Amino acid sequence: MIEQYSSSMLTSILDLCAVEAADRPEGSKLLQAPVTESVRNVLAALDARWGWFPAEGMHRPAGIDELSWQTGLLRFAATTAERLESSGISPAIIEATLGDVGNQFALHRRMHGTFGMATDWWSTLHLSGSLFRIGRLQFHLHRNHDAGPWVLGLHIPQDGPLDAVSVDQSCAEAAAFFARHFGDRVIDHAYCDSWLLDPYLSAHRPSSNIASFAARFGEVQLRDEPGDALYFTFRAQPNVDISTLPRDTSLQSLVLERIESGGVWQCGKGTALWPMAVG
């Protein structure tokens, strides 16, 4: 572990994680600060998860302060990149994957107005070498339960349209990627666990890209998650005054109208064969 980064190395880590300009001063301070015992403990905990392919993200351990945790995440990103590159994974996929770390800082600032990462547990999946961004989607390789078959969780970054062509291309590239780099782990199926699979959404927007995407998954199991639609549509907390939220798009209006009418948004977890058929 490098105790002190040079200016160029510090910049390369921030670039690797796609840390935005507003978050770079604080990110630089974390990387320039002396490496404490707490930071070393974070790095050790992240290292212990490498090759484990965890099904869940790791939350900040008890006794580890928030700044030490965030410092460890940023520092370990460089280790992740080195390990992935040494295994033959392309720089483009490495950069696309780890760029979500900076995106989580940006989302925190958007919601809270300060530097931080409320979703730090999510970034630990990227840093475990088990979640990759390949084209439009993110793919999380793990076992279904402790000793179950290997599965792929599909996640949807919010930075572009969810059109069928992009999804098909992403899944095709992912199928080749996992066959090449993780061929010893036979994938039983793919799944998506998202509010976008709430059938209410497809019923009210039947010709949308979202409805087309949701139709790829079957055996959908539903559960009430009233805050997810607000979080992913507006990056708002569940207790937000919905009268203050914009209605600039048909999706925003649909989300708010259902809440106003007393409805409850749900999450659906659906499965699909892997490799996935084209839409």
Side-chain angles (χ1 to χ4, degrees), residues 187-202:
I187 297 169
D188 182 77
H189 65 268
Y191 72 91
C192 184
D193 191 352
S194 171
W195 78 282
L196 297 184
L197 270 62
D198 186 332
Y200 184 94
L201 193 53
S202 294

Side-chain angles (χ1 to χ4, degrees), residues 45 84 178 181 207 219:
L84 295 179
F178 286 102
H181 295 289
S207 300
E219 301 179 357

Side-chain angles (χ1 to χ4, degrees), residues 34-212:
V35 180
T36 64
E37 188 64 26
S38 290
V39 172
R40 291 189 179 92
N41 289 338
V42 172
L43 294 171
L46 293 170
D47 182 60
R49 284 165 61 87
W50 188 266
W52 179 23
F53 297 92
E56 305 291 341
M58 180 173 67
H59 291 271
R60 177 161 54 99
I64 300 294
D65 64 278
E66 191 171 358
L67 291 181
S68 294
W69 181 235
Q70 293 165 2
T71 301
L73 295 179
L74 281 173
R75 279 183 166 266
F76 200 77
T79 300
T80 297
E82 291 172 1
R83 292 178 177 179
L84 295 179
E85 185 175 10
S86 68
S87 67
I89 293 174
S90 73
I93 288 179
I94 294 172
E95 292 171 8
T97 299
L98 295 180
D100 198 29
V101 176
N103 182 51
Q104 299 309 309
F105 282 121
L107 289 175
H108 184 98
R109 184 174 292 278
R110 175 180 167 185
M111 292 185 67
H112 304 286
T114 60
F115 178 80
M117 191 189 291
T119 52
D120 47 22
W121 60 271
W122 168 245
S123 293
T124 66
L125 294 174
H126 305 63
L127 301 177
S128 70
S130 62
L131 184 146
F132 301 90
R133 172 130 190 208
I134 304 172
R136 180 64 185 88
L137 304 172
Q138 293 167 322
F139 299 84
H140 174 204
L141 178 64
H142 65 91
R143 283 196 181 278
N144 190 20
H145 308 299
D146 291 339
W150 290 95
V151 297
L152 275 181
L154 274 59
H155 304 276
I156 310 160
Q158 286 189 300
D159 56 8
L162 195 61
D163 60 282
V165 172
S166 296
V167 173
D168 286 343
Q169 182 176 354
S170 180
C171 290
E173 292 176 0
F177 172 87
F178 286 102
R180 181 168 61 251
H181 295 289
F182 301 99
D184 58 330
R185 295 167 174 83
V186 179
I187 297 169
D188 182 77
H189 65 268
Y191 72 91
C192 184
D193 191 352
S194 171
W195 78 282
L196 297 184
L197 270 62
D198 186 332
Y200 184 94
L201 193 53
S202 294
H204 287 75
R205 302 186 73 203
S207 300
S208 66
N209 286 335
I210 292 174
S212 174

Side-chain angles (χ1 to χ4, degrees), residues 198 222-228 258 264-267:
D198 186 332
L222 297 170
R223 65 184 186 279
D224 289 352
E225 292 286 357
D228 278 25
R258 186 180 190 189
V264 177
W265 284 97
Q266 296 180 301
C267 272

